[in-house]
Every structure is written in C-alpha cells, then in structure tokens.
Amino acid sequence: MAVLVTGGAGYIGSHAARVLQRAGQKVLIYDNLSTGYEFLTQGFELLRGDIGDRTRLMPALKRVQAVMHFAAHCYVGESVQNPRKYFSNNVESPLALLNACVDAGISRFVFSSTCAVYGVPAKVPITEDTPRLPVNPYGVSKMFFERALEAYNQAYGLRYASLRYFNAAGADESGETGECHDPESHLIPLALAAAAGAGPPLQIFGTDYPTPDGTCIRDYVHVNDLAEAHVKALQHLDGGGDCLAANLGTGDGYSVMEVVAMVEKITGKKVPRQIVGRRPGDPPALVADPALAHERLQWNARRSLSDIVSTAWQWWQRKPANLSCQPSPVSNA
Ligand code: UDP
C-alpha cells in the first residue's frame, strides 16, 4: 500500500514515515517545511506543499491508497493567543485535504488527534467515552476535525481512525530523527538541554497541584509506540475494521519531578531547575486508559519512561548543532 504522510518532516510524522517504511509500505511525505526539517525526510520522496493546496494535493493523492495526517500546529498557549492560526492550519486547510481525499477516492484516513479534546477530565484514567470538552483553541480545532471525519464517514464512506495521543516523547532508536520544536516547550527536551548546560535552568510549572509531589502528572508515550499504533490502525481499516477513536497512552502517569529524576539518572547530570508558578491551562493529571487501542488494534505501548528518556538523550547528543531547541517564552500564573 502507498501512504501519503502529511507533516512527515515533523516530529511524530517523521517517526511514522520510518515505521511505515520498515513495515513494508510505500511512503510519500507531503510537507510545506514551515516547521518541519527537510533532513528528516532523507530516504523518502518529499512533496512540498500546503495541505490546503488542492492543485498540489490531487496528483499526490492519485498515487496513494491511504492518508496519515500529522501536519498541524500543536502549542496550546499559542492557540489561545492566535486562534486564527490554529483554526486556519488545523481546521480550514485539513478540510481542503479531506475534500480532496473524498474526490480522489481515498478510503482510509488516520488522524493525529490529542487528549486535549477531553479538556479537564472529571476522572483519570481517561476512557474514550469521556465527553469531549476541550478548553483551548488547539483542543477545539482537533475535536472539530474528529467530528468532520465522523460526518464524512457517514455521508461519503471515508473510513478513519482518530488517534488521541497523550504526551508524545522520545526518539527513534536509530538516532536519525527526534524531537526538536522551535521554540521548544516540552518537558523532556528542555530538561535534557538544562542537564547538558545548553539551555536555561528547567522551569517547573507549579508544585502545588493535588498530586503526591505537587507537580503535574502526565502519561508519556514513546513516539515509535505511537507510530506503531498508526500502522496497526491502517491495517485495521484495511482489514475492514470499524472506524474508531482511540487513546494512545501507556496507562501510567509520571510527575514532573519523576521525569526530572529519570533525566538525571540517564544523563548522569543534575538538572538545574527553578520552581515557578503554574502554566495556565495545565490540568493536574492526564493519564490514558489505553484498553480500547489494545482490544481493537492489538496495540500496547512497549517502551518505558527510561526508554523514552534514553532515546531522547541519544538524539539530543546527535542532532545537528544548529537545531538549538530553545524554550518558548511562556507566561506563568
Ligand atoms: N512542564 C514544566 N516545565 C517545562 C515544560 C513543561 O514543568 O518547561 C510541565 C508541564 O506543566 C506539564 C508537563 O511538564 O505538566 C508536560 O508538559 P509538556 O509541555 O511537555 O506537555 P503537555 O502536557 O503540555 O502536552
């Protein structure tokens, strides 16, 4: 099968492209390189274009049977300050992609969704029947597209899997690709940069949450485990399986302090840190119930927090020096 991977020059898309290729699928990467990196597409055919550009998309779609859609913006804080950018890039352009898929006869679509569609859940672990009540424009934009997929399935028969990621982290074991957002806002790369003395002290956003050590708890899931779930979702749709929305997480939560301790253990270095106020919009705990993905896709996250931090550290040391991955200016409460 040939698969179009939108956003294949980005963090999760570049991992999915590799895992798909290793599974024997033909991969075409479609990316406008606005935030992705061309060097991450080495070994793949790269088609440069916007997902909203139907003229460029149609010939690409004629060459594939399925689409994996990763191209999106993903900063919660930025989405609050600039919702226009998020609704344009995460809703308007993807709808053009979806329409082009229907017109090109694509019948399988795997969508990169997020646990942000749940907002602040009433209970954890979070199951898929938790109401979708996103609390920021990023989460709303992803929920909108999930709903569009549901409607397009009913009306046009387009078959989909919406995969709701918890905290994607870690890097490909080959060292070829890894996380590098610019600016960087994620805990593990910032903690690694601080440990290496290549970034400012890590800011710990709040120690007064109702959790055992007072810091937020998240479900960190290895990016290659996520990528493997995409391959399984595609196989599921290919085998005639029902459309689905599934959580992708490990089911285990770690606090910010536990992650910092793991970074210190793996790197053998202290993480210089500074306790600051809460980051607006951070719920105390987000942990997946991954049972549905296990039942329907026979998927389990296989890699541990130690694997996540080890592979991220390997990538951090090998990545090109010009990728600075500096922290984003965030406002704290
Ligand atoms: N976090 C932190 N300092 C940082 C970045 C993140 O304390 O510099 C915390 C953040 O408050 C959250 C957790 O680490 O509880 C994971 O944040 P990240 O931005 O990596 O992912 P998110 O949960 O926002 O998707």
Side-chain angles (χ1 to χ4, degrees), residues 167 185-187 190 203-205 216 218 220 256 279 282:
N167 284 58
S185 66
H186 294 106
L187 177 62
L190 291 177
Q203 295 197 318
I204 297 194
F205 297 147
C216 286
R218 295 287 180 273
Y220 297 89
V256 173
R279 185 170 65 177
D282 271 341

Side-chain angles (χ1 to χ4, degrees), residues 33-103:
L33 300 182
S34 65
T35 57
Y37 298 96
E38 190 165 4
F39 80 94
L40 295 182
T41 68
Q42 271 166 21
F44 297 90
E45 183 175 345
L46 168 66
L47 305 171
R48 277 186 81 155
D50 290 323
I51 50 170
D53 184 345
R54 183 182 170 91
T55 316
R56 274 196 184 279
L57 268 174
M58 284 309 280
L61 290 171
K62 293 268 162 58
R63 298 173 55 195
V64 300
Q65 291 77 47
V67 171
M68 282 192 187
H69 172 46
F70 296 93
H73 291 313
C74 63
Y75 296 119
V76 167
E78 185 185 51
S79 79
V80 176
Q81 278 146 17
N82 191 358
R84 184 173 180 163
K85 177 174 174 181
Y86 278 71
F87 289 113
S88 170
N89 283 283
N90 292 3
V91 177
E92 195 180 341
S93 297
L95 283 179
L97 167 69
L98 205 51
N99 291 334
C101 285
V102 170
D103 295 341

